[in-house]
Structures are given as structure tokens and as C-alpha cells.
Amino acid sequence: MSGAPPQQITIDVHLPPGGPLSGMAADVRAGLTKPFKELSPRYFYDERGSELFERITELPEYYPTRCERKILELHAAEICAAAGGPATLIELGSGSATKTRVLLDAMSDAGCLEAYAPVDISEQITRATAEAIAAEYGITVHGLVCDFERDLERIPLEGPRVIALLGGTIGNFEPAQRASFLARVANLLGDEDHFLLGTDLVKDRAALEAAYNDSAGVTSQFNKNVLAVLNDRLGCDFDLEAFEHVAFWDDENLWMDIRLRSLARQVVDVGALDMQVAFDRGEEMRTEISTKFAREGLAGIYAESRLEMVAWWTDPDGLYGLSLARRA
């Protein structure tokens, strides 16, 4: 397609003065002083963390990315039709929008595509994505650089819209956090708007645990990289080799529980916070959860947040789901 004129691209930056990681010190202090220590998964993604996650998506054990792409390839036209031919696609956590192009193609083929809004915390990636999409599709692109959870209400208001959250990201939210987020999504939806959500599905324990304990050890590197981020940003002295990656299926909560286990009794200095944190040998610290869903359960979660599921698609093996919802 022909290139888009510069005026079709708008980038709004809504980051705090300290940048995307400005809240890190407070988050880390709170997490490391809990009786059961926790770190937020938002701090996985420095440059190396992003590279490692890209490698994870290509691993044979890690099915979600392939399955979501397959659903989009098979059903993008149906998704577009079920959403009533939306004019604008807003993608939360857009990254490079690789998978999203399948949906943009379907909207373009249906003759309804007018605008795309990538929403991501990385200004560099958002600008690159906006320029590429504008050039490829000849449409208006309104990029937002922000933390989409904290700044959800800043998304563009023009409709009819589809707001998409792909990649199973919703699974990383704690239940109360997830309910609040979905309620805010419902508040943003107009009568012609829809919400498209990617969710990993409950399945055999062995398949789930293999996806987070790959034989190449890439997920282990990714998990421990959060300690390297803390060392770099907060002056910590975490020894990455003094921790091991742990990931297991929690059948009661229906989530994968991802942790780091201390291999020895140790004390970690957190220079920027002027504090020391003790770990016992064998003590575990949670770094992420990844909730898995079933269609009926997700419909109930939607209903509690004043959303109604209107369509549902899975990959041929039923491993992953895409759902379309509207305001109830």
C-alpha cells in the first residue's frame, strides 16, 4: 500500500517524569517486605527480558503465541463481522503488532478500517509500529505511550472500536486487579464498541508445566532476569546463580505459579532503597502468575464486570481462546 502522510501519525506520551519504571522503588519495597515476597512481572521487560520472551514464544513447548496466531488466521474475518465492522482497532500492549496485522487485513478487506491505536509502554516500539502500520495500510494511527493498566482511560474515543488485549496478558492479573480492569473496560465501551481478549485455557497439567519449564532453560533465564533488572535499576546485589526457577500448576487457583527459589541462606542489599532483604535457603518469591480459563468461567468473570461475551473462538486443538465481549 502507499505510504501515509506524516499528519496521519500521532504519538501521545503519558509517562511519569521518572519514565516507565518510576514506580519501581515503591513496588519493590512493598513486595520484598511482605511475609511471602513478590515482585511485579512488569519488571521482566528490559531489553534482554524482551529478547528472551521473544525466544520463549518460539519454543516448541510454548503453544500460546502459535495458537493465538492460528485463531486470528482462521477467524479474523468472523471476528471483524461479529464486531460489526469496526472502524478503529485499539491494541493494549501492542509491541510490534505482528499478529495484529491479520486482524487489520480483515478489517481492511471488509472496507471498515480507518484507524489503529497501538498502546505500549515503550516509546521506541510504539513509534516504529505506528510508522509501519500507517505506511502499510494508509490509515490514521494514534499511538499511546503509557502503562495501559494505569492509563486505560486515555485511549482514543472515536468509534465504533475494538479494544484488543491479546497474548494472554489478562492471566497475569490478580483476581481483584482483573475485575477492576475489566470493569473499567466496560465503562469505556460505547454501544457499537467491542472488547477482544486472548486467554490461555485450562488443560493437562503436564502441557501447562512444560510450557513454563522448557528444556532449553529460556524461561528460567527470563524469570531470573528480573533480578538483573533490579540490580541495574535499584543497585541491588542479587546473585542470579543463587536462585532457581520454579513453575508449577496451582489447581485450586487455576493458574501457573512462577517463582524464584533461594538456593542458600543469603542477604541481598538493595542500595537505592537503603535496605537489606534476607532469604532463607529454599525460600520462594513469586514473580508471576498466569491464570488459565474455561469458556464458562470467563463468561461469569465478564458478567461480574458488566460485560457480555458475544463470540468465542479456539484453535483447532482447543488450547487457547479468543473471546469478543460488549457492554452488558
Side-chain angles (χ1 to χ4, degrees):
M1 297 184 181
S2 61
Q7 62 267 30
Q8 287 190 284
I9 301 174
T10 304
I11 305 292
D12 292 336
V13 179
H14 296 289
L15 294 177
L21 299 182
S22 62
M24 176 185 248
D27 286 350
V28 171
R29 183 186 294 277
L32 292 182
T33 53
K34 289 182 178 180
F36 176 52
K37 299 179 180 67
E38 295 181 327
L39 293 174
S40 170
R42 75 173 66 241
Y43 303 122
F44 280 133
Y45 297 97
D46 65 346
E47 184 176 352
R48 173 162 169 75
S50 297
E51 291 172 356
L52 287 168
F53 185 72
E54 287 300 314
R55 287 174 57 190
I56 288 172
T57 65
E58 298 169 358
L59 293 168
E61 298 97 333
Y62 193 80
Y63 57 86
T65 304
R66 289 191 298 274
C67 290
E68 188 173 64
R69 183 189 298 274
K70 188 66 174 178
I71 296 169
L72 289 169
E73 290 172 348
L74 291 174
H75 301 292
E78 295 173 44
I79 294 170
C80 180
T88 300
L89 175 63
I90 300 169
E91 185 176 11
L92 307 179
S94 53
S96 58
T98 304
K99 288 178 295 188
T100 317
R101 283 169 167 80
V102 181
L103 194 52
L104 290 171
D105 286 344
M107 293 170 65
S108 179
D109 290 344
C112 60
L113 178 62
E114 296 179 7
Y116 172 65
V119 183
D120 199 276
I121 203 163
S122 168
E123 182 172 355
Q124 180 180 359
I125 291 175
T126 303
R127 289 189 181 279
T129 299
E131 291 169 4
I133 296 296
E136 291 172 34
Y137 293 89
I139 59 174
T140 297
V141 178
H142 184 170
L144 285 174
V145 180
C146 65
D147 180 330
F148 71 77
E149 186 188 354
R150 294 177 179 173
D151 298 306
L152 184 64
E153 284 71 20
R154 295 185 184 274
I155 65 174
L157 299 178
E158 299 83 2
R161 308 168 298 170
V162 167
I163 302 172
L165 179 60
L166 304 178
T169 304
I170 194 72
N172 300 139
F173 290 12
E174 298 279 354
Q177 178 189 19
R178 179 183 67 216
S180 173
F181 175 79
L182 291 175
R184 289 165 65 201
V185 169
N187 285 337
L188 288 172
L189 296 181
D191 293 340
E192 296 181 291
D193 297 336
H194 290 79
F195 179 54
L196 181 66
L197 181 65
T199 49
D200 197 4
L201 304 182
V202 174
K203 59 185 65 65
D204 176 72
R205 173 190 292 266
L208 285 165
E209 293 189 344
Y212 293 84
N213 293 286
D214 63 279
S215 57
V218 182
T219 309
S220 175
Q221 294 178 56
F222 175 71
N223 193 11
K224 291 199 284 185
N225 186 66
V226 72
L227 302 181
V229 174
L230 267 59
N231 286 348
D232 179 59
R233 302 300 178 105
L234 295 179
C236 303
D237 63 355
F238 280 102
D239 177 1
L240 274 62
E241 298 307 312
F243 290 84
E244 66 178 350
H245 166 72
V246 177
F248 61 93
W249 172 244
D250 181 336
D251 192 53
E252 181 177 349
N253 289 303
L254 298 181
W255 66 42
M256 283 297 300
D257 201 326
I258 297 92
R259 304 181 178 186
L260 290 170
R261 178 186 294 146
S262 177
L263 297 175
R265 182 170 177 79
Q266 55 183 305
V267 176
V268 175
D269 185 60
V270 186
L273 301 182
D274 193 27
M275 63 183 285
Q276 291 185 320
V277 182
F279 290 85
D280 288 330
R281 180 184 179 88
E283 182 179 353
E284 295 179 352
M285 171 173 60
R286 178 176 290 140
T287 54
E288 186 178 31
I289 61 168
S290 184
T291 302
K292 311 305 175 185
F293 300 86
R295 178 177 181 172
E296 296 77 11
L298 183 59
I301 290 169
Y302 275 147
E304 291 173 357
S305 298
R306 297 188 301 106
L307 290 166
E308 176 190 8
M309 185 186 297
V310 296
W312 171 263
W313 301 270
T314 69
D315 61 284
D317 295 320
L319 301 178
Y320 192 93
L322 280 181
S323 56
L324 192 70
R326 65 187 175 197
R327 187 176 61 191

PDB file of all heavy atoms in Angstrom, residues 60-82:
ATOM      1  N   PRO A  60       9.199 -24.958  21.264  1.00  0.00           N
ATOM      2  CA  PRO A  60       8.200 -25.983  20.954  1.00  0.00           C
ATOM      3  C   PRO A  60       7.204 -26.210  22.083  1.00  0.00           C
ATOM      4  O   PRO A  60       6.036 -26.519  21.832  1.00  0.00           O
ATOM      5  CB  PRO A  60       9.048 -27.240  20.697  1.00  0.00           C
ATOM      6  CG  PRO A  60      10.388 -26.956  21.295  1.00  0.00           C
ATOM      7  CD  PRO A  60      10.583 -25.484  21.196  1.00  0.00           C
ATOM      8  N   GLU A  61       7.641 -26.033  23.337  1.00  0.00           N
ATOM      9  CA  GLU A  61       6.732 -26.266  24.460  1.00  0.00           C
ATOM     10  C   GLU A  61       5.736 -25.129  24.661  1.00  0.00           C
ATOM     11  O   GLU A  61       4.686 -25.323  25.278  1.00  0.00           O
ATOM     12  CB  GLU A  61       7.523 -26.427  25.773  1.00  0.00           C
ATOM     13  CG  GLU A  61       8.479 -27.600  25.790  1.00  0.00           C
ATOM     14  CD  GLU A  61       9.914 -27.197  25.456  1.00  0.00           C
ATOM     15  OE1 GLU A  61      10.092 -26.181  24.726  1.00  0.00           O
ATOM     16  OE2 GLU A  61      10.832 -27.879  25.918  1.00  0.00           O
ATOM     17  N   TYR A  62       6.070 -23.943  24.157  1.00  0.00           N
ATOM     18  CA  TYR A  62       5.246 -22.769  24.437  1.00  0.00           C
ATOM     19  C   TYR A  62       4.260 -22.563  23.291  1.00  0.00           C
ATOM     20  O   TYR A  62       4.578 -21.995  22.253  1.00  0.00           O
ATOM     21  CB  TYR A  62       6.125 -21.525  24.635  1.00  0.00           C
ATOM     22  CG  TYR A  62       5.373 -20.356  25.233  1.00  0.00           C
ATOM     23  CD1 TYR A  62       5.145 -20.300  26.604  1.00  0.00           C
ATOM     24  CD2 TYR A  62       4.876 -19.338  24.437  1.00  0.00           C
ATOM     25  CE1 TYR A  62       4.436 -19.241  27.166  1.00  0.00           C
ATOM     26  CE2 TYR A  62       4.165 -18.278  24.990  1.00  0.00           C
ATOM     27  CZ  TYR A  62       3.956 -18.235  26.351  1.00  0.00           C
ATOM     28  OH  TYR A  62       3.243 -17.186  26.891  1.00  0.00           O
ATOM     29  N   TYR A  63       3.033 -22.987  23.511  1.00  0.00           N
ATOM     30  CA  TYR A  63       1.997 -23.005  22.481  1.00  0.00           C
ATOM     31  C   TYR A  63       1.166 -21.723  22.342  1.00  0.00           C
ATOM     32  O   TYR A  63       0.568 -21.496  21.288  1.00  0.00           O
ATOM     33  CB  TYR A  63       1.031 -24.165  22.769  1.00  0.00           C
ATOM     34  CG  TYR A  63       0.423 -24.043  24.147  1.00  0.00           C
ATOM     35  CD1 TYR A  63      -0.712 -23.285  24.359  1.00  0.00           C
ATOM     36  CD2 TYR A  63       1.021 -24.643  25.249  1.00  0.00           C
ATOM     37  CE1 TYR A  63      -1.240 -23.115  25.618  1.00  0.00           C
ATOM     38  CE2 TYR A  63       0.502 -24.478  26.525  1.00  0.00           C
ATOM     39  CZ  TYR A  63      -0.625 -23.712  26.698  1.00  0.00           C
ATOM     40  OH  TYR A  63      -1.137 -23.531  27.949  1.00  0.00           O
ATOM     41  N   PRO A  64       1.007 -20.866  23.408  1.00  0.00           N
ATOM     42  CA  PRO A  64       0.002 -19.790  23.317  1.00  0.00           C
ATOM     43  C   PRO A  64       0.157 -18.864  22.118  1.00  0.00           C
ATOM     44  O   PRO A  64      -0.840 -18.513  21.470  1.00  0.00           O
ATOM     45  CB  PRO A  64       0.187 -19.026  24.645  1.00  0.00           C
ATOM     46  CG  PRO A  64       0.705 -20.049  25.597  1.00  0.00           C
ATOM     47  CD  PRO A  64       1.628 -20.902  24.766  1.00  0.00           C
ATOM     48  N   THR A  65       1.368 -18.420  21.824  1.00  0.00           N
ATOM     49  CA  THR A  65       1.552 -17.470  20.723  1.00  0.00           C
ATOM     50  C   THR A  65       1.150 -18.090  19.391  1.00  0.00           C
ATOM     51  O   THR A  65       0.455 -17.459  18.578  1.00  0.00           O
ATOM     52  CB  THR A  65       3.009 -16.993  20.673  1.00  0.00           C
ATOM     53  OG1 THR A  65       3.365 -16.433  21.942  1.00  0.00           O
ATOM     54  CG2 THR A  65       3.202 -15.944  19.584  1.00  0.00           C
ATOM     55  N   ARG A  66       1.570 -19.322  19.155  1.00  0.00           N
ATOM     56  CA  ARG A  66       1.214 -20.003  17.901  1.00  0.00           C
ATOM     57  C   ARG A  66      -0.292 -20.203  17.804  1.00  0.00           C
ATOM     58  O   ARG A  66      -0.893 -20.020  16.745  1.00  0.00           O
ATOM     59  CB  ARG A  66       1.924 -21.359  17.816  1.00  0.00           C
ATOM     60  CG  ARG A  66       3.409 -21.276  17.584  1.00  0.00           C
ATOM     61  CD  ARG A  66       3.989 -22.645  17.242  1.00  0.00           C
ATOM     62  NE  ARG A  66       3.799 -23.591  18.349  1.00  0.00           N
ATOM     63  CZ  ARG A  66       4.637 -23.706  19.386  1.00  0.00           C
ATOM     64  NH1 ARG A  66       5.690 -22.909  19.476  1.00  0.00           N
ATOM     65  NH2 ARG A  66       4.415 -24.591  20.336  1.00  0.00           N
ATOM     66  N   CYS A  67      -0.910 -20.590  18.917  1.00  0.00           N
ATOM     67  CA  CYS A  67      -2.347 -20.858  18.895  1.00  0.00           C
ATOM     68  C   CYS A  67      -3.156 -19.582  18.654  1.00  0.00           C
ATOM     69  O   CYS A  67      -4.134 -19.593  17.893  1.00  0.00           O
ATOM     70  CB  CYS A  67      -2.775 -21.504  20.210  1.00  0.00           C
ATOM     71  SG  CYS A  67      -2.170 -23.197  20.421  1.00  0.00           S
ATOM     72  N   GLU A  68      -2.757 -18.488  19.290  1.00  0.00           N
ATOM     73  CA  GLU A  68      -3.471 -17.226  19.089  1.00  0.00           C
ATOM     74  C   GLU A  68      -3.349 -16.766  17.642  1.00  0.00           C
ATOM     75  O   GLU A  68      -4.331 -16.314  17.034  1.00  0.00           O
ATOM     76  CB  GLU A  68      -2.940 -16.157  20.045  1.00  0.00           C
ATOM     77  CG  GLU A  68      -3.759 -14.879  20.016  1.00  0.00           C
ATOM     78  CD  GLU A  68      -3.320 -13.903  21.100  1.00  0.00           C
ATOM     79  OE1 GLU A  68      -2.160 -13.434  21.035  1.00  0.00           O
ATOM     80  OE2 GLU A  68      -4.130 -13.599  21.987  1.00  0.00           O
ATOM     81  N   ARG A  69      -2.145 -16.890  17.094  1.00  0.00           N
ATOM     82  CA  ARG A  69      -1.954 -16.519  15.700  1.00  0.00           C
ATOM     83  C   ARG A  69      -2.840 -17.373  14.785  1.00  0.00           C
ATOM     84  O   ARG A  69      -3.442 -16.873  13.826  1.00  0.00           O
ATOM     85  CB  ARG A  69      -0.488 -16.668  15.308  1.00  0.00           C
ATOM     86  CG  ARG A  69      -0.201 -16.222  13.868  1.00  0.00           C
ATOM     87  CD  ARG A  69       1.214 -16.587  13.464  1.00  0.00           C
ATOM     88  NE  ARG A  69       2.184 -15.912  14.304  1.00  0.00           N
ATOM     89  CZ  ARG A  69       2.648 -14.683  14.072  1.00  0.00           C
ATOM     90  NH1 ARG A  69       2.201 -14.000  13.043  1.00  0.00           N
ATOM     91  NH2 ARG A  69       3.536 -14.144  14.859  1.00  0.00           N
ATOM     92  N   LYS A  70      -2.935 -18.665  15.080  1.00  0.00           N
ATOM     93  CA  LYS A  70      -3.743 -19.566  14.261  1.00  0.00           C
ATOM     94  C   LYS A  70      -5.215 -19.169  14.300  1.00  0.00           C
ATOM     95  O   LYS A  70      -5.908 -19.162  13.265  1.00  0.00           O
ATOM     96  CB  LYS A  70      -3.588 -21.012  14.753  1.00  0.00           C
ATOM     97  CG  LYS A  70      -4.235 -22.047  13.847  1.00  0.00           C
ATOM     98  CD  LYS A  70      -3.524 -22.096  12.500  1.00  0.00           C
ATOM     99  CE  LYS A  70      -4.053 -23.212  11.618  1.00  0.00           C
ATOM    100  NZ  LYS A  70      -3.376 -23.231  10.282  1.00  0.00           N
ATOM    101  N   ILE A  71      -5.711 -18.814  15.484  1.00  0.00           N
ATOM    102  CA  ILE A  71      -7.104 -18.370  15.596  1.00  0.00           C
ATOM    103  C   ILE A  71      -7.338 -17.139  14.736  1.00  0.00           C
ATOM    104  O   ILE A  71      -8.339 -17.043  14.007  1.00  0.00           O
ATOM    105  CB  ILE A  71      -7.461 -18.073  17.065  1.00  0.00           C
ATOM    106  CG1 ILE A  71      -7.375 -19.343  17.910  1.00  0.00           C
ATOM    107  CG2 ILE A  71      -8.875 -17.488  17.161  1.00  0.00           C
ATOM    108  CD1 ILE A  71      -7.456 -19.082  19.406  1.00  0.00           C
ATOM    109  N   LEU A  72      -6.421 -16.193  14.812  1.00  0.00           N
ATOM    110  CA  LEU A  72      -6.573 -14.978  14.012  1.00  0.00           C
ATOM    111  C   LEU A  72      -6.535 -15.290  12.522  1.00  0.00           C
ATOM    112  O   LEU A  72      -7.322 -14.743  11.735  1.00  0.00           O
ATOM    113  CB  LEU A  72      -5.480 -13.975  14.377  1.00  0.00           C
ATOM    114  CG  LEU A  72      -5.624 -13.323  15.762  1.00  0.00           C
ATOM    115  CD1 LEU A  72      -4.358 -12.555  16.113  1.00  0.00           C
ATOM    116  CD2 LEU A  72      -6.832 -12.400  15.803  1.00  0.00           C
ATOM    117  N   GLU A  73      -5.645 -16.178  12.120  1.00  0.00           N
ATOM    118  CA  GLU A  73      -5.544 -16.537  10.700  1.00  0.00           C
ATOM    119  C   GLU A  73      -6.823 -17.208  10.205  1.00  0.00           C
ATOM    120  O   GLU A  73      -7.258 -16.986   9.073  1.00  0.00           O
ATOM    121  CB  GLU A  73      -4.343 -17.446  10.477  1.00  0.00           C
ATOM    122  CG  GLU A  73      -3.003 -16.741  10.641  1.00  0.00           C
ATOM    123  CD  GLU A  73      -1.822 -17.697  10.601  1.00  0.00           C
ATOM    124  OE1 GLU A  73      -2.070 -18.933  10.670  1.00  0.00           O
ATOM    125  OE2 GLU A  73      -0.678 -17.227  10.517  1.00  0.00           O
ATOM    126  N   LEU A  74      -7.428 -18.036  11.064  1.00  0.00           N
ATOM    127  CA  LEU A  74      -8.621 -18.777  10.659  1.00  0.00           C
ATOM    128  C   LEU A  74      -9.899 -17.957  10.770  1.00  0.00           C
ATOM    129  O   LEU A  74     -10.851 -18.168  10.005  1.00  0.00           O
ATOM    130  CB  LEU A  74      -8.762 -20.047  11.519  1.00  0.00           C
ATOM    131  CG  LEU A  74      -7.730 -21.148  11.309  1.00  0.00           C
ATOM    132  CD1 LEU A  74      -7.927 -22.258  12.341  1.00  0.00           C
ATOM    133  CD2 LEU A  74      -7.829 -21.725   9.903  1.00  0.00           C
ATOM    134  N   HIS A  75      -9.947 -17.025  11.710  1.00  0.00           N
ATOM    135  CA  HIS A  75     -11.225 -16.416  12.055  1.00  0.00           C
ATOM    136  C   HIS A  75     -11.244 -14.883  12.040  1.00  0.00           C
ATOM    137  O   HIS A  75     -12.222 -14.284  12.508  1.00  0.00           O
ATOM    138  CB  HIS A  75     -11.652 -16.893  13.450  1.00  0.00           C
ATOM    139  CG  HIS A  75     -11.794 -18.376  13.566  1.00  0.00           C
ATOM    140  ND1 HIS A  75     -12.775 -19.097  12.922  1.00  0.00           N
ATOM    141  CD2 HIS A  75     -11.042 -19.286  14.255  1.00  0.00           C
ATOM    142  CE1 HIS A  75     -12.651 -20.386  13.205  1.00  0.00           C
ATOM    143  NE2 HIS A  75     -11.608 -20.524  14.019  1.00  0.00           N
ATOM    144  N   ALA A  76     -10.207 -14.247  11.507  1.00  0.00           N
ATOM    145  CA  ALA A  76     -10.165 -12.775  11.550  1.00  0.00           C
ATOM    146  C   ALA A  76     -11.389 -12.149  10.883  1.00  0.00           C
ATOM    147  O   ALA A  76     -11.949 -11.161  11.387  1.00  0.00           O
ATOM    148  CB  ALA A  76      -8.885 -12.263  10.897  1.00  0.00           C
ATOM    149  N   ALA A  77     -11.816 -12.704   9.769  1.00  0.00           N
ATOM    150  CA  ALA A  77     -12.990 -12.139   9.084  1.00  0.00           C
ATOM    151  C   ALA A  77     -14.246 -12.279   9.939  1.00  0.00           C
ATOM    152  O   ALA A  77     -15.081 -11.368   9.996  1.00  0.00           O
ATOM    153  CB  ALA A  77     -13.186 -12.821   7.735  1.00  0.00           C
ATOM    154  N   GLU A  78     -14.381 -13.432  10.626  1.00  0.00           N
ATOM    155  CA  GLU A  78     -15.523 -13.634  11.515  1.00  0.00           C
ATOM    156  C   GLU A  78     -15.485 -12.663  12.697  1.00  0.00           C
ATOM    157  O   GLU A  78     -16.518 -12.146  13.129  1.00  0.00           O
ATOM    158  CB  GLU A  78     -15.532 -15.066  12.046  1.00  0.00           C
ATOM    159  CG  GLU A  78     -15.740 -16.142  11.006  1.00  0.00           C
ATOM    160  CD  GLU A  78     -15.551 -17.521  11.620  1.00  0.00           C
ATOM    161  OE1 GLU A  78     -16.075 -17.757  12.728  1.00  0.00           O
ATOM    162  OE2 GLU A  78     -14.847 -18.343  11.007  1.00  0.00           O
ATOM    163  N   ILE A  79     -14.285 -12.447  13.234  1.00  0.00           N
ATOM    164  CA  ILE A  79     -14.135 -11.515  14.348  1.00  0.00           C
ATOM    165  C   ILE A  79     -14.578 -10.119  13.924  1.00  0.00           C
ATOM    166  O   ILE A  79     -15.318  -9.435  14.635  1.00  0.00           O
ATOM    167  CB  ILE A  79     -12.675 -11.499  14.853  1.00  0.00           C
ATOM    168  CG1 ILE A  79     -12.316 -12.852  15.462  1.00  0.00           C
ATOM    169  CG2 ILE A  79     -12.457 -10.378  15.865  1.00  0.00           C
ATOM    170  CD1 ILE A  79     -10.839 -13.031  15.775  1.00  0.00           C
ATOM    171  N   CYS A  80     -14.119  -9.718  12.754  1.00  0.00           N
ATOM    172  CA  CYS A  80     -14.478  -8.405  12.222  1.00  0.00           C
ATOM    173  C   CYS A  80     -15.991  -8.292  12.055  1.00  0.00           C
ATOM    174  O   CYS A  80     -16.603  -7.285  12.442  1.00  0.00           O
ATOM    175  CB  CYS A  80     -13.761  -8.181  10.893  1.00  0.00           C
ATOM    176  SG  CYS A  80     -14.109  -6.597  10.116  1.00  0.00           S
ATOM    177  N   ALA A  81     -16.607  -9.319  11.510  1.00  0.00           N
ATOM    178  CA  ALA A  81     -18.054  -9.290  11.289  1.00  0.00           C
ATOM    179  C   ALA A  81     -18.818  -9.291  12.607  1.00  0.00           C
ATOM    180  O   ALA A  81     -19.803  -8.557  12.773  1.00  0.00           O
ATOM    181  CB  ALA A  81     -18.472 -10.488  10.440  1.00  0.00           C
ATOM    182  N   ALA A  82     -18.360 -10.118  13.571  1.00  0.00           N
ATOM    183  CA  ALA A  82     -19.040 -10.203  14.864  1.00  0.00           C
ATOM    184  C   ALA A  82     -18.963  -8.881  15.616  1.00  0.00           C
ATOM    185  O   ALA A  82     -19.841  -8.556  16.421  1.00  0.00           O
ATOM    186  CB  ALA A  82     -18.430 -11.321  15.706  1.00  0.00           C
TER     187      ALA A  82
END
